[in-house]
Amino acid sequence: MNTPRIKAYTKIHSVSTELRRGFPLVESRDPEALEKERHQLENINSHPHFWQRWKGYWSLSGPGWVQSALTLGAGSAGSAIFAGAVTGYKLLWVQPLAMFLGVMMFAAIGHQTLVTRARPYDVFWKKLHPSLAMLWAFNVFIASIVWQFPQYSLGTSVAKDLFAVAGINFPRGVIALALLAGGTAVCWTYGSGKRKGIRMFERILKYMLLIMVFSFFLVVLKTGIKWGELFKGYFGFHIPSDKQGITIVLGQLGAAVGVNMTFLYPYTMLARGWGKSHKGLKNFDLGASMFLPFVLATSFVTIACANTLFTQGIQVQDAIDAAHALQPVAGLTLGRVVFSLGILSMCFTTLIIEMLLCGLVLSEIFHFEYYGWAFKASTLLANIGIIGAFYPMPFWLPVLTSSFNLIMMPVAYICFFILHNKKNYLGPDINRGIKGALWNILLILAILAVTAGAAVKILSVLGIW
């Protein structure tokens, strides 16, 4: 399996079998702030009641918000709109289950990262195989560029439509450049090499996500909630019998979490200087910052579209059509403007994270510092996707990238599953007994879910399904 090229790369980049541990972004440049946060966490962990600890954890949460910002993008918006417009409330159970399985896998990834503090790219290279490390990183890098196209495309269109409400006709170029400038300014706070910059980055995403969720909540309040159907939607576990419905279910199960997130999550924890003492904070962060925002945002969008598009039999093509369709029911402000603001927030936050991912991947591959101009320049590569604001992507590009992503997602999950049970990696921190068996069952279910989602999408692309 080792080609001469891989052997040469191995010789250059892996002079030692020792894993690279820690993340110099904060630890070497802002150790005082990191030590202060550790003392704060010790005080929080000393509280006897979980609600007291949760209150303190909320102020320290962060990496989970970064994951939410990545997964809540143009794809999530389209999926939720489509589910509500086609099936009403019936499939509300799918997204929470999909994200729950994703969170279980990320809890395992987090456990590995916190107890070893090893860099995941290095772990893949030395504990699994160099080809897997390169395949994983290359996939994340290419996907970060390609999936930037729909963020710019939808974000620019939504912003242009919002300005049209006020009677202003902004050119698409001006809006796209504004998204680029704003995204770059936020992203580069992460590469400052200071804890303050990273915390500012996380807080900006956190507040934007909260605004997004609140915007969709207002629309739901205006359109109304059918409580009986809501309960059945979450707990009835309706399984469609038609091809379209089955495709929606399997697609949502497999796409709630993307392969890019498997790379991003452990590095955001290492960048904060988290270790073994942060296990409780990690679990809270995944629940409060990753699971809840995703479930609330996608559920509110689905409910709003079910109340309007589904009941009236309206067919829509995208989020802008959905916003216009909501206007007669919810009014101009809530239906069109507030809903569109929520969609715009989705696109903008994802745009920022795709930039960050490019910087992290290239800095790991080429071993340059996670701050300074090399890092900043590498984040800008994601913005090749700004072309999407003006021209549609070549039809083959998203098909090829999506297929590659879908294949790599189960592979990445299987790799982390193997590492979760690898004694020469986790040592005494490996989960054993009933707890270990339960973890393995949940992780296998997560692997099966993403594999099923990948299979149905690939078969759809090939015209077989």
Side-chain angles (χ1 to χ4, degrees):
M1 194 172 181
N2 251 345
T3 65
R5 184 172 295 180
I6 291 176
K7 288 179 179 178
Y9 191 88
T10 303
K11 185 177 180 180
I12 295 171
H13 289 79
S14 299
V15 295
S16 171
T17 57
E18 287 296 317
L19 293 171
R20 289 186 297 152
R21 302 179 190 272
F23 200 69
L25 194 60
V26 170
E27 291 173 281
S28 64
R29 292 173 64 85
D30 205 358
E32 296 83 4
L34 191 58
E35 188 62 26
K36 182 179 178 181
E37 183 176 292
R38 285 173 180 160
H39 285 305
Q40 183 181 355
L41 182 63
E42 288 176 2
N43 291 332
I44 293 170
N45 287 335
S46 66
H47 290 301
H49 304 296
F50 68 88
W51 61 84
Q52 292 176 313
R53 294 194 295 273
W54 284 5
K55 183 179 178 181
Y57 287 160
W58 176 261
S59 65
L60 295 178
S61 62
W65 292 109
V66 179
Q67 310 315 306
S68 290
L70 179 57
T71 192
L72 285 169
S76 298
S79 177
I81 289 169
F82 191 58
V86 174
T87 66
Y89 285 72
K90 292 180 180 178
L91 297 182
L92 282 173
W93 63 273
V94 180
Q95 295 283 34
L97 176 60
M99 183 50 72
F100 172 76
L101 292 175
V103 164
M104 291 300 100
M105 180 59 74
F106 275 66
I109 294 173
H111 173 76
Q112 297 170 27
T113 305
L114 295 183
V115 300
T116 66
R117 305 208 71 245
R119 309 238 198 123
Y121 180 78
D122 213 38
V123 174
F124 270 53
W125 187 284
K126 295 171 181 175
K127 293 294 183 180
L128 296 173
H129 197 278
S131 61
L132 286 171
M134 289 193 293
L135 184 66
W136 183 41
F138 176 77
N139 180 270
V140 171
F141 175 69
I142 295 299
S144 297
I145 295 174
V146 172
W147 299 137
Q148 200 76 313
F149 279 76
Q151 310 312 324
Y152 272 108
S153 177
L154 181 58
T156 302
S157 297
V158 170
K160 187 173 177 62
D161 187 62
L162 282 170
F163 283 118
V165 173
I168 303 172
N169 184 24
F170 266 119
R172 294 182 69 87
V174 173
I175 297 172
L177 288 174
L179 290 174
L180 170 61
T184 301
V186 176
C187 181
W188 283 4
T189 62
Y190 203 89
S192 65
K194 295 286 187 178
R195 176 186 176 277
K196 183 179 180 180
I198 293 176
R199 295 296 287 136
M200 182 185 298
F201 175 87
E202 292 173 344
R203 287 193 181 105
I204 290 172
L205 295 179
K206 175 180 178 178
Y207 295 134
M208 288 193 69
L209 287 166
L210 291 175
I211 290 171
M212 175 205 307
V213 172
F214 186 66
S215 298
F216 294 141
F217 175 65
L218 290 177
V219 176
V220 167
L221 284 182
K222 185 66 176 180
T223 59
I225 300 175
K226 300 173 183 177
W227 294 103
E229 292 187 29
L230 181 76
F231 184 82
K232 291 180 181 178
Y234 279 123
F235 303 105
F237 300 104
H238 170 75
I239 300 177
S241 57
D242 61 297
K243 179 180 175 181
Q244 185 183 46
I246 294 172
T247 301
I248 293 173
V249 170
L250 292 178
Q252 289 185 326
L253 282 174
V257 174
V259 67
N260 287 14
M261 296 170 67
T262 63
F263 192 99
L264 177 66
Y265 180 59
Y267 282 98
T268 55
M269 289 193 297
L270 289 175
R272 287 284 301 276
W274 286 11
K276 283 187 178 183
S277 61
H278 292 76
K279 286 183 182 180
L281 174 58
K282 178 261 295 182
N283 294 333
F284 173 86
D285 190 49
L286 284 172
S289 307
M290 181 175 168
F291 180 81
L292 278 180
F294 177 85
V295 171
L296 290 175
T298 54
S299 294
F300 290 153
V301 172
T302 300
I303 293 168
C305 292
N307 289 338
T308 53
L309 308 180
F310 178 73
T311 56
Q312 298 176 37
I314 299 174
Q315 299 293 320
V316 296
Q317 298 296 319
D318 52 34
I320 296 175
D321 287 346
H324 283 241
L326 285 167
Q327 183 176 331
V329 180
L332 177 64
T333 302
L334 283 174
R336 185 171 171 183
V337 175
V338 177
F339 185 83
S340 293
L341 282 172
I343 297 296
L344 180 60
S345 295
M346 274 185 161
C347 296
F348 186 62
T349 52
T350 302
L351 180 152
I352 295 167
I353 302 303
E354 300 291 9
M355 292 178 63
L356 175 62
L357 267 166
C358 274
L360 290 174
V361 170
L362 292 182
S363 59
E364 274 296 87
I365 292 175
F366 296 109
H367 291 200
F368 58 74
E369 299 290 356
Y370 299 89
Y371 44 84
W373 287 107
F375 178 82
K376 291 178 179 179
S378 63
T379 64
L380 291 176
L381 287 175
N383 293 301
I384 295 171
I386 197 173
I387 298 171
F390 311 100
Y391 305 102
M393 270 194 295
F395 77 94
W396 55 267
L397 185 57
V399 171
L400 181 63
T401 305
S402 180
S403 299
F404 192 27
N405 271 215
L406 291 168
I407 293 170
M408 190 61 208
M409 187 64 185
V411 173
Y413 268 30
I414 291 170
C415 287
F416 280 112
F417 175 78
I418 293 171
L419 291 171
H420 195 71
N421 293 278
K422 204 171 184 65
K423 293 180 180 178
N424 68 352
Y425 173 50
L426 293 181
D429 292 298
I430 197 169
N431 288 311
R432 303 175 185 276
I434 296 177
K435 182 180 180 180
L438 181 60
W439 266 113
N440 283 335
I441 290 171
L442 291 171
L443 297 183
I444 289 171
L445 288 175
I447 292 170
L448 292 175
V450 297
T451 303
V456 73
K457 286 195 174 184
I458 292 173
L459 290 176
S460 297
V461 169
L462 296 175
I464 299 174
W465 175 260

